[in-house]
């Protein structure tokens, strides 16, 4: 069992490193191509629903998994929970860091692409995490949380994609009466 766990940990680590290298290289390349574009900033007026959505994402996508990782993974010592959630938090943190650096340091429109890369990978991470904990019937609540996380981040991806025109300040044509 220890050999399988070590092998699984190594595979997860290599997979995450590969994603990080490929996505960072891609974002760096695209950033280089668009280096002469106007400085990018987020639109100042956020939609009315944004605060509520952000609260849902923070509670369901950050606070709940953190509590689960601390309780089931650390407190009760379940390694598969740690295998599922540590990479999730590491990549979530790296996504936030990438977004912050791209937006605040470089003022680059590449910021819009970061969730387009990281969110689909997050679906994969959560699916792998779900398969890791699915063999233990004592972890039914962890399994349900991971399934909820998959739904949350898929929905969040749709939200992000639906807001790209607004983020890029594409003009809306006035509607004709005819």
């Amino acid at each position: 069992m220890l050999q399988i766990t070590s092998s699984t940990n190594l595979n997860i680590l290599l997979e995450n490193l590969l994603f990080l290298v490929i996505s960072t290289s891609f974002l760096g390349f695209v950033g280089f191509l668009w280096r002469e574009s106007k400085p990018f900033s987020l639109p100042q007026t956020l939609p009315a629903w944004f605060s509520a959505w952000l609260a849902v994402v923070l509670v369901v996508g950050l606070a709940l998994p953190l509590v689960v990782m601390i309780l089931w993974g650390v407190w009760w010592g379940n390694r598969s929970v740690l295998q599922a959630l540590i990479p999730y938090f590491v990549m979530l943190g790296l996504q936030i860091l990438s977004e912050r650096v791209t937006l605040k340091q470089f003022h680059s429109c590449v910021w819009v692409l970061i969730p387009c890369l990281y969110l689909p990978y997050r679906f994969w991470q959560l699916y792998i995490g779900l398969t890791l904990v699915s063999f233990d019937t004592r972890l039914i609540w962890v399994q349900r949380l991971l399934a909820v996380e998959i739904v949350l981040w898929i929905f969040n991806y749709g939200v992000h994609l639906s807001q790209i025109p607004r983020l890029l300040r594409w003009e809306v044509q006035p509607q004709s009466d005819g």
Side-chain angles (χ1 to χ4, degrees):
M1 180 70 169
L2 184 59
Q3 182 65 25
I4 294 172
T5 303
S6 297
S7 174
T8 302
N9 287 339
L10 181 61
N11 288 341
I12 290 171
L13 177 65
L14 291 176
E15 184 179 282
N16 282 282
L17 286 174
L18 182 63
F19 170 79
L20 186 62
V21 166
I22 291 170
S23 63
T24 303
S25 298
F26 175 76
L27 293 169
F29 177 70
V30 172
F32 177 77
L33 292 177
W34 286 93
R35 70 189 175 282
E36 302 296 327
S37 65
K38 290 188 331 185
F40 177 80
S41 62
L42 292 176
Q44 294 304 312
T45 55
L46 296 172
W49 52 265
F50 182 77
S51 294
W53 176 244
L54 182 59
V56 168
V57 169
L58 289 174
V59 169
V60 178
L62 190 65
L64 285 177
L66 186 59
V67 167
V68 165
M69 186 173 76
I70 291 168
L71 284 178
W72 274 273
V74 176
W75 189 266
W76 292 315
N78 192 302
R79 288 185 185 203
S80 61
V81 173
L82 294 175
Q83 287 174 318
L85 290 175
I86 288 174
Y88 167 83
F89 280 114
V90 168
M91 290 311 235
L92 181 59
L94 289 171
Q95 177 185 349
I96 293 167
L97 178 65
S98 297
E99 290 175 351
R100 186 166 179 82
V101 167
T102 303
L103 190 59
K104 301 292 183 186
Q105 298 292 331
F106 296 112
H107 306 284
S108 174
C109 60
V110 171
W111 178 87
V112 176
L113 296 176
I114 294 170
C116 295
L117 294 176
Y118 276 83
L119 286 170
Y121 186 70
R122 185 161 307 125
F123 312 155
W124 174 251
Q125 280 186 305
L126 291 165
Y127 170 76
I128 294 299
L130 190 57
T131 60
L132 288 170
V133 300
S134 66
F135 299 110
D136 191 341
T137 56
R138 298 172 297 160
L139 299 176
I140 190 69
W141 289 106
V142 176
Q143 294 167 21
R144 289 179 179 163
L145 173 74
L146 292 173
V148 166
E149 293 297 318
I150 291 169
V151 171
L152 170 79
W153 292 114
I154 288 173
F155 190 81
N156 191 61
Y157 189 56
V159 168
H160 176 74
L161 293 177
S162 74
Q163 294 302 303
I164 288 176
R166 190 182 66 74
L167 291 169
L168 297 178
R169 295 174 180 85
W170 291 346
E171 293 183 32
V172 177
Q173 295 180 356
Q175 294 197 4
S176 62
D177 293 336

